[in-house]
Amino acid sequence: MRAAPASATVSTTAPVPEPARGRLAGVATMIGSGLSNQTGAAIGSLAFPVLGPVGVVAVRQYVAAAVLLAVGRPRLRTFTWRQWWPVLLLAVVFGTMNLSLYSAIDRIGLGLAVTLEFLGPLTVALAATRRRVDLCWALIAAAGVVTLMRPRPSADYAGMGLGLLAAACWASYILLNRTVGHRIPGAQGSAAAAGASALLFLPVGVVLVLRQPPSAEAVGYAVVAGVLSSAVPYLADLFTLRHVPAQAFGLFMSVNPVLAAVVGWIGLGQNLGWAEWASIGGIVTANTLSVARVKRM
């Protein structure tokens, strides 16, 4: 066989440029973060029969607080009331968001609960724009919600309502995080909020232990859920945002409802019909287009 020219040899063996390698690592981390988050929620649901959604969320809040306090290291004594009040509100919203989401997962399944929750960031994104095309995206999302909540014998409207509550909390979480970020440097505000939220759920843990000591298996499921859905995604997102533009990060986040539906289907046997898949597709599309629109503005 004829030898390849030197130039060809060099081109085929040349190392991947560092920026490109970083972007590839960032994309891989995004995928891993999304799968970790949804897998953690699925594993946490295995502890529902023993701990209930409240108990699982309590353990998740403890894990999140431990990780964020270690990373953020907030100087709590230096906080003023102007800094404390949004932190405390963020703590309440953070806990309510997770509690309503996990309660929705318990009633309507992982895929549908996460899909409804994603209406929160979509609403925030659409509220920041004023073009007519934004109305089209809102209508696409609304059509998805109507399809999910259409009257049928098996419809669980309480579970859907909890999913919408999680969406409202996520929207509030985004807005409060902006305020906290402007008033408190670094991750100190988020860490303080996670710590305060864990304190709010401390009585839940005490009551659960005193009423009926949970099995080690159930606690293990809840701890794994906290690690996979709180610790891993937070640390992974810190790495990802160093290598991947925030816009690309937002676009990928929009795919999380699909990941949740797939994980629920494979891991928990939660099958969805064509109408549910169509609804998920519509809401994901609306999220994706809204984020892409921000990039062009």
Side-chain angles (χ1 to χ4, degrees), residues 208-264:
L208 284 173
V209 172
L210 293 179
R211 186 186 64 182
Q212 181 179 355
S215 65
E217 183 181 28
V219 173
Y221 284 144
V223 170
V224 170
V227 171
L228 294 181
S229 296
S230 294
V232 172
Y234 179 78
L235 297 176
D237 292 348
L238 287 179
F239 173 82
T240 298
L241 288 171
R242 293 176 183 174
H243 300 281
V244 176
Q247 196 64 37
F249 179 80
L251 285 171
F252 182 82
M253 284 289 291
S254 299
V255 184
N256 264 276
V258 176
L259 293 177
V262 172
V263 170

Side-chain angles (χ1 to χ4, degrees), residues 2-40:
R2 183 178 176 181
S7 59
T9 304
V10 171
S11 64
T12 56
T13 60
V16 179
E18 191 63 33
R21 188 179 302 171
R23 285 194 295 273
L24 289 174
V27 170
T29 304
M30 280 194 295
I31 296 173
S33 175
L35 288 174
S36 175
N37 192 8
Q38 307 310 330
T39 301

Side-chain angles (χ1 to χ4, degrees), residues 11-249:
S11 64
T12 56
T13 60
V16 179
E18 191 63 33
R21 188 179 302 171
R23 285 194 295 273
L24 289 174
V27 170
T29 304
M30 280 194 295
I31 296 173
S33 175
L35 288 174
S36 175
N37 192 8
Q38 307 310 330
T39 301
I43 292 175
S45 70
L46 299 177
F48 286 171
V50 177
L51 298 177
V54 179
V56 174
V57 170
V59 174
R60 174 175 172 171
Q61 300 304 98
Y62 304 154
V63 173
V67 173
L68 288 173
L69 288 172
V71 174
R73 298 180 180 180
R75 299 177 181 178
L76 303 179
R77 294 183 179 179
T78 66
F79 286 12
T80 64
W81 174 244
R82 183 173 178 272
Q83 295 171 318
W84 264 119
W85 75 258
V87 165
L88 295 177
L89 281 178
L90 186 61
V92 173
V93 166
F94 184 40
T96 305
M97 177 176 69
N98 285 329
L99 180 56
S100 55
L101 174 63
Y102 274 60
S103 298
I105 291 172
D106 188 33
R107 300 182 69 100
I108 62 175
L110 182 61
L112 299 186
V114 171
T115 299
L116 290 173
E117 186 195 29
F118 260 75
L119 293 172
L122 173 61
T123 301
V124 173
L126 294 179
T129 60
R130 294 293 182 272
R131 289 181 39 143
R132 292 181 180 178
V133 68
D134 301 325
L135 178 60
C136 296
W137 302 334
L139 291 175
I140 292 174
V145 174
V146 169
T147 303
L148 284 179
M149 303 186 71
R150 69 194 186 281
R152 60 192 189 280
S154 61
D156 188 331
Y157 293 107
M160 295 177 188
L162 288 166
L164 293 176
L165 176 59
C169 288
W170 195 352
S172 302
Y173 182 82
I174 293 171
L175 299 176
L176 283 169
N177 247 327
R178 290 177 183 173
T179 301
V180 169
H182 288 150
R183 298 184 183 182
I184 304 174
Q188 291 188 60
S190 298
S197 184
L199 287 177
L200 291 175
F201 278 88
L202 189 58
V204 175
V206 173
V207 169
L208 284 173
V209 172
L210 293 179
R211 186 186 64 182
Q212 181 179 355
S215 65
E217 183 181 28
V219 173
Y221 284 144
V223 170
V224 170
V227 171
L228 294 181
S229 296
S230 294
V232 172
Y234 179 78
L235 297 176
D237 292 348
L238 287 179
F239 173 82
T240 298
L241 288 171
R242 293 176 183 174
H243 300 281
V244 176
Q247 196 64 37
F249 179 80

